[in-house]
């Protein structure tokens, strides 16, 4: 295997685009990424597209917007890890020495309700028949378990949202950029205890894209190639547990362990982390799952503001899903794009200074967890 | 890149399984493939799953049936080429030297009507709003164009179905195994001229699986590793044509050219072909698109029975989609499995004698075309 580098990235501001389809958003992100890479569509040899709703043909529709060149198109879906799974397939295509220029795009147009609203995946409406198995309930229960086990408080979970909102003020790509006080977070409408409305990621459309090349070629295109030091995907190991949700811990721990081993770094070497804060409860759990702090210490970790920009290990400098929103297929590519910007020193007001190593994490109930480690 | 070999394959008989879900069918095919490979699930390092309806989580649901080991799971969708796209991703995973044992499974449970019936893909019902853009109409028009251009007759297209039915008699995996005379084919209910009911592939459930390893390792597991000599995927090159269907020709020609070049063989070196005969008209066109005969010669080619088992180049010895049916996600893996059986001399009554090189072709409107060339 050879080294793989990110040469160009692009993203559209996450938000609501009633006038656009997912592939049109993907096309905008792609054009930005191609421009950023200093290359053109005609030089791209493979497209891997991540789109959860309407997977088949998603990449082809995107190409139709900007130019069809006959290149192979692979469409992937892997729950919330759809975009990052697509990125990983692109990574392998370069690493295998089969291709020298690969485009990865994640794109999604969400419905108006939970989990795609009027356009549920595969004709299913999970919220209708699973009862307490909805995403808000599952992630609330995971938080409750942490409270029971370690004495974590609702205030500590709420602080994750306060941090997210503060970081988002510096991110023009975030859907919501207004700050919120701890009181405002706690007093927002209750969704599923301990998560209030401001502790749940908003339903959002979006797209992000990246151009990958072998490192040797990348250096001809950019003075700042970003190396993909680890690209890990895990699924649920067999357990006797019935509750799928609690697997987010095991899944993430397995992926993180493999990623650190592959990249030859530890959590202490990271300069920033973009992790899957679909709910505020999830973020605290992942501090421990990714080894940023010890088990049971996550509450104190946020109390100490260790994960603020300027803190020991900035987490979700972008404002996270809580501020950006969570267009399912786009998310996994978007957090890799965000880390790339920081490693290049191009993250504007939210820049984590002097960042050299970053981690991007996504977890999909279903189950799929990706951890990417990027190096300057 | 290193050589990739098929070590084990499995398939369930295609048909109607009202009592089973797609992932349950996939599990059966997988267990067969693992047994055939002389390996076990615990030794598999990656699963790539192709399922068009309900793509996300498809592979994970399959694993849940037979044992979850925490391995990465990638789910793909690419219209009719869904299964073969999954196979190709598995091929890259081995070729890249990242993995030494990869499982690929294609699985699908179809609805009761055209294109998934009650469970349409992505909430869309193409038949409802595209009018003449339905699959039967599109492939009928492609046939009509061939008739206009070369004087091909309806009888010649019908002969494809007669051959398919004859071949299927020897295939226990085919849904329909009864023979049909030319008169019976021509007098069957008209679907879209020139294709009658017996010239259209039936709506069918099914699953197929394959275990891939690097060639060096494969030899430790089997005395008959089958080498993947080419794994090509193409999408639609830009054209001024509006009618998506006619792209089946360009798409297939591009993929075939690349495949022959990669494998270092020509159509004259092939011992058998499994091609995408979703409609009888398509098969004749693909004789020319794959270079089995010259342009405009396909009608005469079938008149001469050149594509019968025992003929110059047996096509769809399995009975093809016309007899087997077409479970979308399974099809692309299934025709690779069929070619594998022939190269190993394990195809029973339908065996193409002394087969050393085989080609498997799938085309998906959308657009994606795969051509795999396998060598003994």
């Amino acid at each position: 295997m050879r080294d793989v580098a990110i040469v160009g990235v692009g993203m559209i501001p996450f938000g609501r685009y009633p006038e656009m389809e997912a592939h049109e958003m993907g096309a905008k992100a792609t054009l930005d990424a191609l421009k950023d890479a200093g290359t053109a569509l005609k030089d791209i040899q493979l497209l891997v597209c991540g789109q959860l709703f309407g997977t088949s043909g998603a990449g082809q529709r995107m190409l139709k917007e900007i130019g069809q060149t006959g290149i192979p198109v692979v469409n992937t879906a892997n729950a919330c890890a759809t975009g990052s799974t697509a990125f990983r397939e692109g990574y392998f295509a370069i690493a295998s020495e089969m291709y020298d220029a690969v485009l990865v795009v994640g794109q999604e147009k969400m419905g108006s309700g939970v989990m795609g609203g009027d356009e549920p995946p595969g004709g299913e409406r999970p919220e209708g028949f699973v009862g307490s198995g909805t995403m808000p309930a599952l992630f609330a229960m995971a938080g409750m378990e942490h409270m029971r086990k370690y004495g974590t408080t609702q205030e500590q979970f709420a602080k994750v949202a306060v941090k997210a909102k503060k970081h988002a003020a510096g991110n023009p790509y975030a859907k919501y950029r207004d700050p919120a006080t701890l009181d405002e977070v706690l007093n927002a409408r209750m969704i599923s205890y301990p998560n209030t409305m401001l502790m749940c990621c908003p339903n959002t459309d979006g797209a992000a894209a990246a151009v990958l090349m072998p490192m040797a070629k990348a250096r001809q295109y950019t003075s700042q190639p970003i190396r993909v030091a680890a690209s890990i995907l895990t699924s649920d190991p067999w357990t006797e547990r019935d509750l799928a949700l609690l697997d987010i811990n095991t899944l993430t721990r397995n992926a993180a362990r493999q990623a650190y081993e592959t990249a030859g770094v530890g959590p202490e070497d990271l300069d920033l982390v973009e992790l899957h804060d679909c709910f505020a409860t999830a973020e605290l759990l992942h501090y421990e799952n990714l080894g940023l702090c010890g088990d049971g210490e996550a509450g104190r970790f946020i109390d100490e503001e260790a994960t603020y920009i300027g803190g020991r290990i900035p987490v979700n400098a972008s404002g996270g899903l809580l501020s950006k929103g969570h267009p399912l297929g786009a998310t996994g590519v978007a957090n890799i794009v965000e880390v790339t910007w920081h490693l290049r020193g191009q993250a504007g007001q939210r820049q984590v200074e002097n960042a050299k190593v970053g981690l991007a994490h996504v977890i999909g109930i279903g189950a799929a967890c990706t951890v990417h480690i990027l190096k300057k």
Side-chain angles (χ1 to χ4, degrees), chain A:
Chain A
M1 283 190 53
R2 59 180 172 177
D3 277 356
V4 178
I6 299 170
V7 181
V9 293
M11 199 190 299
I12 64 168
F14 285 7
R16 280 296 194 193
Y17 293 96
E19 77 290 2
M20 288 173 78
E21 294 302 321
H23 62 273
E24 295 172 295
M25 300 178 213
K28 281 186 183 290
T30 292
L31 291 176
D32 285 351
L34 290 171
K35 190 177 171 191
D36 186 47
T39 187
L41 186 62
K42 68 176 173 47
D43 298 318
I44 297 295
Q45 300 165 326
L46 169 74
L47 164 65
V48 190
C49 180
Q51 183 177 317
L52 186 56
F53 302 132
T55 308
S56 187
Q60 286 91 339
R61 287 190 292 273
M62 193 285 288
L63 275 187
K64 210 167 177 185
E65 286 291 306
I66 57 170
Q68 294 166 261
T69 60
I71 56 169
V73 178
V74 175
N75 300 298
T76 65
N78 228 354
C80 297
T82 290
S84 46
T85 296
F87 182 90
R88 188 169 177 270
E89 294 301 295
Y91 164 82
F92 277 123
I94 298 283
S96 71
E97 306 191 5
M98 180 62 101
Y99 296 106
D100 291 324
V102 171
L103 170 67
V104 177
V105 61
Q107 56 192 29
E108 204 78 62
K109 178 167 184 162
M110 303 291 286
S112 54
V114 183
M115 278 294 283
D118 294 338
E119 297 185 328
E124 295 173 356
R125 279 190 169 278
E127 284 70 14
F129 59 82
V130 297
S132 65
T134 61
M135 295 298 156
L138 287 170
F139 281 90
M141 284 191 277
M144 292 287 278
E145 174 69 6
H146 203 269
M147 294 167 90
R148 187 192 64 75
K149 211 164 164 186
Y150 300 116
T152 315
T153 64
Q154 191 196 15
E155 284 69 22
Q156 288 171 323
F157 288 122
K159 284 178 180 176
V160 169
V162 174
K163 169 182 70 70
K165 304 293 172 190
K166 184 174 178 195
H167 285 175
N171 186 4
Y173 294 88
K175 182 178 185 187
Y176 294 117
R177 303 178 58 193
D178 293 331
T181 65
L182 185 59
D183 273 353
E184 284 168 342
V185 172
L186 288 169
N187 292 325
R189 182 152 68 86
M190 179 54 63
I191 298 299
S192 190
Y193 187 85
N195 289 321
T196 66
M197 176 94 101
L198 294 176
M199 297 160 76
C200 302
C201 67
N203 207 324
T204 311
D205 308 324
V211 175
L212 301 177
M213 293 183 185
M215 181 56 82
K217 182 176 177 178
R219 292 190 201 286
Q220 300 166 21
Y221 284 79
T222 174
S223 58
Q224 295 198 94
I226 301 301
R227 188 160 78 85
V228 184
S231 177
I232 302 297
L233 171 63
T234 55
S235 68
D236 193 24
W238 183 86
T239 65
E240 291 189 9
R241 285 179 278 100
D242 276 336
L243 194 60
L245 189 275
L246 294 178
D247 298 340
I248 65 167
N249 294 323
T250 311
L251 267 173
T252 298
R253 281 167 195 246
N254 287 349
R257 191 184 61 245
Q258 292 177 44
Y260 291 137
E261 198 179 301
T262 303
V265 300
E268 67 282 2
D269 300 312
L270 300 176
D271 297 307
L272 81 153
V273 169
E274 287 285 314
L275 65 73
H276 203 69
D277 62 329
C278 45
F279 296 90
T281 45
E283 177 161 323
L284 273 205
L285 269 58
H286 292 316
Y287 290 169
E288 299 172 11
N289 294 332
L290 295 172
L292 306 183
C293 65
D295 286 353
E297 296 175 6
R300 208 175 62 220
F301 211 55
I302 187 75
D303 283 342
E304 292 167 358
E305 302 195 349
T307 56
Y308 273 70
I309 295 173
R312 203 180 332 160
I313 171 68
V315 172
N316 294 340
S318 64
L321 307 188
L322 292 180
S323 309
K324 287 191 305 182
H326 181 18
L328 301 169
T331 289
V333 180
N335 71 0
I336 287 171
V337 171
E338 176 73 12
V339 171
T340 299
W341 278 331
H342 284 276
L343 297 182
R344 287 175 172 180
Q346 298 172 335
Q349 289 177 46
R350 66 193 184 284
Q351 177 68 43
V352 171
E353 290 306 322
N354 224 355
K356 293 187 178 64
V357 184
L359 181 150
H361 159 262
V362 180
I363 188 158
I365 303 300
C369 179
T370 56
V371 171
H372 284 88
I373 293 179
L374 308 183
K375 287 185 179 178
K376 194 171 176 172

